[in-house]
Amino acid sequence: MAGTQLPNDPYNIIITGVGGQGNVMASRVLANMLVKKGFYVTIGETFGASQRGGSVMSHLRVSKKDTWSPQIPKGKAHVIVALEPTEAIRVLADYGNPDVKVVSNTRPIHPAGVIAGDLNYPAIEETKKTARGISSHAWFIDATDEALRLGNPILGNIIMLGALSGLDDLPLDKEDFREVIAESLPQNKVDINMEAFDLGRGLLKE
Amino acid sequence: MKIFGPNELLEAVINKNLCIGCGACIHLCPYFRSYKGKTAMLFPCTLEEGRCFAYCPKIEVDLDELSQQYFGRSYEGGPLGNYLSIHTAQAGPKVKKASFQAGGTVSALMSFALAKGYIDAAVLTDKEGILPVPRVITDADEVLTCSSSKYSASPTLSALNQAMTDEYTKIGVVATPCQVLSVAQMRMNPLEKEDFVDSVALVVGLFCTWAIDFRTFAPFISERVDITTITKVDIPPPPSEIMEVYMGEEKIEIPLNEIRELVPETCSYCIDMTSEFSDISVGVLEGRPDMNTLIIRTDRGQKIVNEAVQEGYLVIEDIPEENLEHLMWAAGNKKKRAFAKAKEEGMINAEEDKKSYLRLQPKTVKEITG
Amino acid sequence: MSALLDKKEGAEHLLMGNEAIARGALEAGVKVAAGYPGTPSSEIIESLAGVAKDANIYVEWSVNEKLAMEVAAAASFAELRSLCVMKQNGVNVASDFLLHLAGSGTRGGMVLVPCDDPGALSSINEGESRFFARTVEIPLLEPGDFQEAKDMTKWAFELSEELKQLIMLRSVTRLSHASGNVRFGTLPTGEAKARFRCDGFILDPDEGIVISAPVDYKHGQQHEKLKRAKEIFEDSPFNTYEGPEKPELLIITSSACTLYSREAISILGLKERVGLLKLGTTWPLPPKLLTRYLSLAEKILIVEEVLPFLEENVKVIAAETASEIGIKKFYGKNDGTIPMVGELNPDYVINAITKILEIEYLPRPEEYAAKTQGLAFFGAPQRELIFCPGCPHRASFWSIHNALELDGRKGFVCGDIGCYTMALLPTGFTTLKTVHAMGSGSGLASGFGKLGQFGLDQPVLAVCGDSTFFHTAIPALINARHHKSDFTLVVLDNSGTAMTGFQPHPGLEVNAMGDNVPDLDIAEICRSMGARVEIRDPFELEETRATLNNLMEDNEGLKVLILRQICGLSPEKKAGKKYEMAINEEICLGENCGCNRVCTRIFRCPGLVWDKEKQVTRLDEVICTGCGVCADICPAGAITRKEAV
């Protein structure tokens, strides 16, 4: 586990996914964990209409000393957490750089245009290759499948947070996670979330 | 037979107001539906070939191909088409007297065919108020509920498609000439489906000079009477030249000239008065409101008529020469007029890349139009 | 207990901008808060409603924004502190009252918080509320970060009481919906007593009658208040400067653009060359402060979103003081340095600065940028907005669309604001043909319904949501009924204000604070107007379609069809699936004649996925909510439903 030093200040995280995947919840949990460690965290979010089946993004700025813009400048992400694989590519196109790291779920959510047959959805192998070509490292995790095994697909975002913690770029410890989710979830849901967090961390370390 | 898809059907028929609303494209898919006499396409369909187009009697009808299939010869353009014999007919003593119009010949034939198992379902046209409503009937006694004449176009073939979906295998259908033409196309398996079965066991065609568009008829009649009180509509055989509208005991008469204004343009392209591709055709008999004209066209039609006569469902006699002559004159006139009009508008034997209403030997066109 | 009521002074919490505003109001001792839901403003009232019982305050979701402002103003007249909240275009709705309220003045501190939506992220307009402050002549504050959102809100109440005037505190999406660290102040403990004094001298601001007349007198008073505001603003800690003593370029900015500008200067490493004047009090501008900072630089860049409000106001001061400060070169929206349309971000400010100072900036190596060229297009298919899986609107518009097609008279639907606005997109079968303000679908239909006289023979339909019905559709219906306008209104009743997060409205038995309240029946209201009313379940597709056709054929005046089915996102629906769906791949017709993928190509519920390889439709069990409607869409009977256990 890293100390409370950040690899960069501000350290820029983008959590991306599709409306309804729990993007907002994941970014809040992550931010609260970091606030507990004494950081300034700014989250910029898209919601409202864009939530309805659209691409959603949360920008997190983590800093020792200041509040930063809720929008990360183009090309300045340090890590991208994608709850849906093609969303990783969409975000990389704008915010990627040679040093960026990517942690992505593998489960596709087909846009209406793909369902309708108007658009093509790339194969996961293709997405992996693309992501690896424009990042310093990209990890792909079967988070939704694992979450289904745990009994609820929404746990996919917690598995992804666990995976992010496995990067050891940020001081994300398990006990902070427990505290944060205990504040917003009923007691009986805490254990399964802890399990999901650990699972994600383990998957990344593999 | 040239086959295209729903978009071409929309462009070449529906958008040009050539659709008569026969129902041939209804109940095949989620896209075409009929509502109050009008066929609508609910959503776009992208297929390049579809049954909707293939079945439509208003586009790419290959008369030679059909005539070869059902009568073993090219389309010759005779006023009454191919037939074996022509008679006068009326319902026999085995048929309950009901509110059927004219001689009750159609009701008699369908009841008989159902009762004797020649068919397992009858596709008929019932009515709700003055709106014609297609029905699939399986009980011989119920045939009479659909016995009265309807004068507005009906999507009857939607019920045929439904009966096929419901897997009836011996279906009898009572249809107008345009519908009969469509049935003839359906039975040829135009999309060459491997699992195709011809489940149409009997086609009784009606005589028709035109139909009325329900969408214009309803407001027209509403201006004259309370539409909900109408019990029956009748057009007595020529030379009466009136439409009778009954409200129980009461009756009003409307000159046919006024009614003809409500006939859709598409009827003026119709080349067939007597349902030439049926097994049996039935129509009015001039001067005899209690009798019908009966044309037997196919062997299976012949067989059913013979047995119906033997079993007392039908009484037939030779048709008087004068009636036959007049029938041929009227049917020939309709055919000639329609061919001339369609020809003038380039709707016959259009070039390969264009869609054509009719296809047949050019010399036959010449013979008909003179 | 919610973090919003944390009594510990100095406690630090991660708050959304809207929560910070709510906390600021609590620290100011707000007693009454009212609003109408609208993104990005809704969480302010929601947060306050959540703590209303514990904080002993009254919070309501009013029927519309004008009502919200009136409810809040009543509290102010009764010497309580009050808050009213709305999204940008809500101010338009409230503006008639706003004008008069600005004229009459207030008593207890009263703050209006409009949340603007630059870039229209959740709107169909880029409305500006700041101009209202200038138009009705009230002070305007704009917080620049989350801490300020809280601190300024608290201060706004004090300022309001000092001036006896309404204060506008304007937020934007990127503040309201962003989150950051906020250090808490204290919560007041005292009780407040409401009393309305109206028996004093008629012109007495504390005891007289509350009115904007006599206009010359009250208008004059208003200007005195503005003058006083200017003086106070000259020394406000919310106006700050950071940068060198003699900057090459002075940036003047406010609101979220402060953060963008600061970031741009930092990324470009220009802290020694560029100065940043951040203004929190943006109307009326403090002239001395402006003069002082304008004097520092020759080049002035004004960074703001939507209209050039700050830009124009600064230019007026610059013109008035030109002899003192010299002639400046201005950059901003008017000269195109900053775009006139859309929201800003740090990159826009970087662009502006590099252009003005002629510096090179590459956010990432060219080689890398080249690799990402076109990626967003080919590697990530576009996601168009769609109705959620199980959304009743998809079913409703399916039936409305089909009824119109069957009717065949080129009928059309006038829509307005709610999730159902998306029915102008393929997800709603492109059914809506007009979309404007709340309730405008009904109002336009009332007008269209009178055009038969001039030959309009197309059936006229309107749709509105249940919340919109109460908001502004009712007057439109009254108008239509009284003037014998012929149209059919479809009320898409999903039992809540779904788009903004399921807030209650007068049709429900619960209010913002969770109390039991009388519910008003939409059907009875319409019947009392003399409309023909039908109620259906939109999930019964054929019945809904048939009813609608029937209503459209009834040419006698006003008809109302209420389609009742609860929103798929409601807690009740999320609790469990009604049906377990299954797809029989053997029966699925796929792209064959007879279907051609009507479910995935047209109906397009995200729970159904087209399997290209197998040429059949598959069910995505993670996404499917089990509403069961697609079983009725499938022409082959391949999709089946059975009651979930």
Side-chain angles (χ1 to χ4, degrees):
Chain A
M1 181 74 52
T4 54
Q5 285 306 310
L6 293 169
N8 301 82
D9 194 333
Y11 186 79
N12 301 331
I13 310 164
I14 297 181
I15 302 183
T16 183
V18 178
Q21 277 194 300
N23 210 78
V24 172
M25 192 261 192
S27 64
R28 286 238 140 188
V29 169
L30 177 60
N32 274 307
M33 288 167 72
L34 292 161
V35 169
K36 281 197 186 297
K37 281 277 178 284
F39 291 107
Y40 283 93
V41 184
T42 311
I43 320 175
E45 262 153 352
T46 46
F47 47 102
S50 39
Q51 201 183 3
R52 313 287 189 240
S55 305
V56 288
M57 244 198 309
S58 301
H59 288 194
L60 277 84
R61 321 293 306 272
V62 190
S63 171
K64 272 253 171 211
K65 42 188 192 276
D66 226 339
T67 290
W68 288 84
S69 147
Q71 297 194 75
I72 295 171
K74 299 275 145 56
K76 300 297 173 195
H78 296 113
V79 62
I80 294 168
V81 179
L83 305 180
E84 203 278 351
T86 60
E87 292 310 311
I89 305 302
R90 197 187 314 282
V91 170
L92 276 167
D94 279 341
Y95 298 93
N97 55 69
D99 301 319
V100 72
K101 296 174 185 174
V102 176
V103 186
S104 174
N105 190 1
T106 52
R107 174 87 169 205
I109 293 182
H110 289 173
V114 171
I115 291 173
D118 304 336
L119 298 174
N120 191 42
Y121 191 93
I124 186 70
E125 286 313 316
E126 200 180 313
T127 302
K128 285 181 183 177
K129 199 173 139 224
T130 309
R132 283 172 183 146
I134 47 173
S135 62
S136 72
H137 202 110
W139 292 263
F140 283 83
I141 289 169
D142 300 329
T144 305
D145 299 341
E146 294 292 338
L148 280 169
R149 238 162 274 155
L150 291 180
N152 190 347
I154 199 73
L155 289 169
N157 54 22
I158 301 299
I159 293 175
M160 294 302 294
L161 283 188
L164 174 68
S165 81
L167 289 182
D168 290 333
D169 273 1
L170 294 163
L172 298 172
D173 71 58
K174 204 175 147 179
E175 282 319 302
D176 288 340
F177 175 72
R178 182 193 295 279
E179 266 185 54
V180 167
I181 56 161
E183 280 165 20
S184 56
L185 291 178
Q187 198 48 44
N188 61 4
K189 297 255 173 78
V190 172
D191 284 347
I192 189 79
N193 275 274
M194 292 300 290
E195 198 181 325
F197 189 85
D198 279 343
L199 183 70
R201 192 176 165 83
L203 285 171
L204 188 113
K205 295 276 188 190
E206 267 170 24
Chain B
M1 199 182 286
K2 290 175 84 175
I3 299 167
F4 292 91
N7 290 324
E8 287 82 2
L9 183 68
L10 196 66
E11 180 200 314
V13 180
I14 297 178
N15 290 350
K16 288 190 176 155
N17 282 329
L18 292 176
C19 174
I20 185 63
C22 70
C25 58
I26 314 295
H27 278 324
L28 294 172
C29 71
Y31 304 105
F32 287 102
R33 273 187 75 168
S34 176
Y35 183 72
K36 298 209 167 166
K38 209 166 165 162
T39 301
M41 190 178 191
L42 299 182
F43 293 102
C45 172
T46 50
L47 294 183
E48 284 169 11
E49 284 195 348
R51 289 172 293 172
C52 52
F53 188 96
Y55 294 172
C56 179
K58 296 291 179 180
I59 192 74
E60 286 299 342
V61 178
D62 193 323
L63 290 170
D64 284 330
E65 209 179 322
L66 292 174
S67 198
Q68 282 291 353
Q69 170 83 10
Y70 296 106
F71 303 109
R73 62 180 77 152
S74 293
Y75 181 78
E76 287 163 352
L80 303 181
N82 294 285
Y83 57 88
L84 302 174
S85 57
I86 303 189
H87 311 268
T88 65
Q90 65 188 140
K94 277 292 270 291
V95 182
K96 284 177 214 144
K97 280 286 167 200
S99 67
F100 51 72
Q101 268 153 309
T105 304
V106 173
S107 301
L109 281 167
M110 297 315 277
S111 312
F112 172 73
L114 268 177
K116 295 294 155 185
Y118 281 103
I119 58 176
D120 56 7
V123 171
L124 304 173
T125 308
D126 195 357
K127 60 182 175 15
E128 281 168 12
I130 58 165
L131 178 72
V133 181
R135 291 230 191 286
V136 179
I137 278 172
T138 51
D139 180 346
D141 290 340
E142 272 184 57
V143 169
L144 289 176
T145 60
C146 300
S147 63
S148 63
S149 300
K150 288 92 198 169
Y151 298 96
S152 32
S154 157
T156 304
L157 297 186
S158 64
L160 175 59
N161 288 329
Q162 188 60 54
M164 289 184 188
T165 309
D166 295 344
E167 296 183 346
Y168 289 103
T169 54
K170 294 182 287 180
I171 306 169
V173 54
V174 177
T176 56
C178 49
Q179 292 166 343
V180 168
L181 199 55
S182 175
V183 174
Q185 296 189 102
M186 287 180 189
R187 293 173 61 198
M188 290 182 68
N189 186 20
L191 256 58
E192 294 169 6
K193 295 225 169 196
E194 279 170 22
D195 54 350
F196 178 83
V197 220
D198 178 7
S199 46
V200 177
L202 174 65
V203 180
V204 174
L206 302 170
F207 291 4
C208 177
T209 41
W210 40 255
I212 321 166
D213 181 346
F214 176 80
R215 297 278 182 118
T216 48
F217 184 50
F220 171 89
I221 206 96
S222 291
E223 284 174 17
R224 288 159 179 80
V225 299
D226 178 355
I227 202 163
T228 58
T229 61
I230 297 174
T231 49
K232 188 176 118 174
V233 177
D234 194 16
I235 298 178
S240 70
E241 279 294 307
I242 50 155
M243 173 184 269
E244 299 171 340
V245 179
Y246 293 84
M247 286 119 329
E249 300 291 299
E250 272 180 71
K251 175 179 98 170
I252 63 159
E253 293 182 352
I254 302 169
L256 275 191
N257 277 342
E258 288 181 37
I259 299 294
R260 285 198 187 93
E261 300 284 311
L262 310 176
V263 175
E265 178 78 0
T266 185
C267 287
S268 62
Y269 294 96
C270 176
I271 57 159
D272 182 4
M273 192 183 98
T274 59
S275 293
E276 294 174 27
F277 292 92
S278 68
D279 293 307
I280 303 161
S281 296
V282 180
V284 293
L285 184 65
E286 209 163 316
R288 288 295 302 271
D290 58 334
M291 289 187 81
N292 293 108
T293 305
L294 176 77
I295 305 178
I296 301 169
R297 299 187 186 275
T298 64
D299 292 340
R300 71 183 191 189
Q302 180 77 64
K303 186 164 181 268
I304 288 174
V305 170
N306 289 350
E307 287 188 28
V309 170
Q310 275 169 23
E311 303 229 358
Y313 278 82
L314 203 62
V315 178
I316 64 170
E317 283 171 42
D318 290 344
I319 187 166
E321 196 57 33
E322 189 192 340
N323 284 80
L324 182 59
E325 264 174 34
H326 192 261
L327 178 65
M328 296 194 48
W329 174 82
N333 253 351
K334 179 177 176 181
K335 188 174 302 256
K336 189 175 171 181
R337 268 202 307 271
F339 262 106
K341 184 168 172 150
K343 187 181 163 195
E344 196 185 313
E345 291 176 30
M347 292 160 67
I348 298 178
N349 294 334
E351 280 165 38
E352 275 306 298
D353 55 334
K354 290 205 181 108
K355 273 132 230 136
S356 195
Y357 164 35
L358 298 173
R359 293 197 186 272
L360 67 162
Q361 291 178 16
K363 70 171 176 41
T364 314
V365 182
K366 247 183 216 159
E367 282 166 21
I368 296 168
T369 54
Chain C
M1 169 108 20
S2 161
L4 277 190
L5 292 182
D6 191 341
K7 288 203 178 75
K8 206 169 100 205
E9 192 177 353
E12 200 164 302
H13 289 273
L14 180 76
L15 292 192
M16 197 192 285
N18 281 343
E19 294 169 321
I21 291 169
R23 169 73 190 194
L26 289 169
E27 288 185 9
V30 74
K31 289 292 171 237
V32 171
Y36 183 81
T39 315
S41 73
S42 309
E43 295 80 5
I44 299 174
I45 292 292
E46 267 182 355
S47 306
L48 290 171
V51 300
K53 292 281 184 287
D54 292 321
N56 189 27
I57 59 177
Y58 173 74
V59 183
E60 76 169 38
W61 284 121
S62 306
V63 161
N64 62 36
E65 292 85 350
K66 178 167 174 277
L67 252 308
M69 198 179 283
E70 287 158 350
V71 165
S76 164
F77 297 166
E79 300 175 19
L80 300 177
R81 289 189 169 182
S82 70
L83 177 73
C84 69
V85 182
M86 54 203 61
K87 73 179 290 177
Q88 75 276 10
N89 41 295
V91 184
N92 302 1
V93 177
S95 62
D96 192 11
F97 179 67
L98 173 61
L99 173 68
H100 293 94
L101 180 62
S104 77
T106 53
R107 289 180 188 172
M110 178 170 174
V111 179
L112 160 65
V113 179
C115 300
D116 288 11
D117 190 18
L121 302 173
S122 302
S123 309
I124 59 160
N125 66 75
E126 277 194 287
E128 253 284 7
S129 58
R130 292 181 300 171
F131 276 89
F132 276 101
R134 200 167 82 182
T135 302
V136 307
E137 300 170 305
I138 56 172
L140 168 68
L141 309 179
E142 294 184 75
D145 63 26
F146 312 98
Q147 186 66 45
E148 278 197 359
K150 180 195 78 72
D151 294 345
M152 274 179 133
T153 304
K154 178 168 186 283
W155 177 57
F157 284 93
E158 293 157 17
L159 182 64
S160 170
E161 273 169 20
E162 181 169 352
L163 299 176
K164 298 189 190 298
Q165 181 60 296
L166 175 69
I167 306 296
M168 179 188 283
L169 182 133
R170 178 235 197 191
S171 181
V172 293
T173 303
R174 295 293 180 184
L175 263 186
S176 280
H177 274 184
S179 306
N181 302 48
V182 177
R183 186 165 296 112
F184 283 10
T186 51
L187 287 175
T189 47
E191 287 299 307
K193 164 113 178 65
R195 55 171 181 176
F196 180 44
R197 292 184 290 175
C198 48
D199 300 331
F201 171 54
I202 191 167
L203 294 178
D204 187 309
D206 297 320
E207 296 181 5
I209 62 171
V210 190
I211 184 172
S212 57
V215 173
D216 55 349
Y217 174 76
K218 286 289 175 76
H219 198 183
Q221 287 279 301
Q222 229 185 312
H223 276 268
E224 289 304 315
K225 293 174 184 178
L226 284 178
K227 216 186 273 175
R228 177 76 192 112
K230 270 187 206 175
E231 288 164 17
I232 295 170
F233 291 172
E234 292 287 1
D235 302 318
S236 166
F238 297 114
N239 302 324
T240 58
Y241 175 76
E242 54 204 88
E245 268 176 39
K246 271 280 162 207
E248 281 172 59
L249 171 70
L250 175 70
I251 296 179
I252 303 180
T253 189
S254 65
S255 192
C257 296
T258 309
L259 295 170
Y260 306 152
S261 302
R262 193 177 288 144
E263 178 123 26
I265 295 169
S266 160
I267 276 192
L268 294 170
L270 294 175
K271 280 183 187 159
E272 303 308 316
R273 293 172 66 190
V274 178
L276 180 65
L277 177 64
K278 174 254 161 194
L279 296 173
T281 66
T282 43
W283 176 259
L285 284 176
K288 287 182 204 141
L289 178 107
L290 263 296
T291 310
R292 193 158 71 243
Y293 286 104
L294 284 169
S295 307
L296 299 184
E298 297 307 308
K299 292 177 175 168
I300 314 290
L301 167 66
I302 291 152
V303 180
E304 65 188 314
E305 289 174 312
V306 196
L307 294 172
F309 176 79
L310 191 54
E311 183 171 337
E312 287 173 9
N313 297 336
V314 168
K315 282 175 174 172
V316 169
I317 291 176
E320 287 170 351
T321 58
S323 60
E324 194 180 328
I325 64 170
I327 303 299
K328 303 293 169 186
K329 170 73 182 154
F330 279 99
Y331 303 89
K333 283 176 176 279
N334 275 354
D335 75 335
T337 307
I338 297 288
M340 194 64 97
V341 177
E343 68 165 343
L344 298 185
N345 57 35
D347 297 292
Y348 281 113
V349 188
I350 290 170
N351 274 345
I353 297 174
T354 53
K355 221 191 279 173
I356 298 165
L357 297 181
E358 296 173 349
I359 345 177
E360 286 282 318
Y361 170 74
L362 267 184
R364 48 193 184 185
E366 256 173 88
E367 186 199 355
Y368 183 92
K371 275 201 266 183
T372 62
Q373 208 65 286
L375 253 195
F377 188 75
F378 297 110
Q382 275 316 108
R383 292 190 188 273
E384 63 187 72
L385 295 185
I386 48 169
F387 290 131
C388 304
C391 177
H393 295 329
R394 182 180 285 104
S396 295
F397 284 105
W398 179 270
S399 300
I400 294 171
H401 170 91
N402 287 354
L404 285 168
E405 292 296 329
L406 292 181
D407 180 88
R409 290 176 290 166
K410 300 198 183 307
F412 57 90
V413 187
C414 301
D416 48 41
I417 309 300
C419 285
Y420 55 93
T421 304
M422 288 195 290
L424 55 87
L425 304 174
T427 191
F429 320 110
T430 61
T431 307
L432 296 188
K433 302 304 175 190
T434 72
V435 175
H436 298 84
M438 294 283 291
S440 287
S442 306
L444 284 168
S446 174
F448 276 121
K450 288 306 293 177
L451 301 182
Q453 184 184 348
F454 305 104
L456 188 87
D457 53 5
Q458 300 156 267
V460 180
L461 272 76
V463 292
C464 78
D466 38 341
S467 192
T468 309
F469 176 85
F470 292 105
H471 182 282
T472 31
I474 290 176
L477 292 184
I478 294 173
N479 192 65
R481 171 66 182 161
H482 178 65
H483 295 290
K484 290 179 153 182
S485 176
D486 172 25
F487 80 90
T488 305
L489 171 68
V490 181
V491 181
L492 304 162
D493 183 352
N494 56 7
S495 299
T497 317
M499 172 133 239
T500 48
F502 229 66
Q503 292 82 3
H505 59 63
L508 303 173
E509 284 176 331
V510 67
N511 68 6
M513 300 181 294
D515 296 326
N516 240 307
V517 286
D519 55 328
L520 281 74
D521 183 2
I522 295 176
E524 282 309 310
I525 291 170
C526 296
R527 282 195 194 104
S528 75
M529 291 180 199
R532 178 180 162 198
V533 179
E534 303 283 350
I535 303 168
R536 295 288 181 276
D537 174 357
F539 285 175
E540 300 294 334
L541 299 175
E542 192 49 28
E543 206 189 353
T544 300
R545 198 274 312 149
T547 306
L548 200 51
N549 275 119
N550 189 269
L551 289 171
M552 278 155 62
E553 285 155 26
D554 176 354
N555 293 330
E556 299 298 314
L558 182 61
K559 287 92 52 179
V560 178
L561 172 61
I562 300 171
L563 294 180
R564 253 184 214 152
Q565 181 62 248
I566 233 174
C567 170
L569 294 180
S570 69
E572 180 177 318
K573 281 274 181 79
K574 274 187 148 178
K577 294 183 179 182
K578 183 167 186 219
Y579 295 108
E580 287 298 338
M581 306 303 294
I583 299 181
N584 184 337
E585 295 180 358
E586 302 285 305
I587 303 177
C588 174
L589 286 170
E591 287 180 320
N592 286 315
C593 180
C595 181
N596 192 16
R597 300 201 287 115
V598 72
C599 60
T600 54
R601 199 172 57 85
I602 308 289
F603 190 63
R604 287 177 161 207
C605 175
L608 299 168
V609 180
W610 175 241
D611 187 330
K612 247 187 188 161
E613 264 162 42
K614 286 164 104 179
Q615 292 281 298
V616 290
T617 294
R618 274 191 301 108
L619 189 73
D620 187 329
E621 69 279 7
V622 172
I623 293 174
C624 174
T625 63
C627 74
V629 174
C630 56
D632 292 329
I633 303 292
C634 177
I639 307 180
T640 52
R641 62 182 166 223
K642 72 169 201 270
E643 298 265 349
V645 276

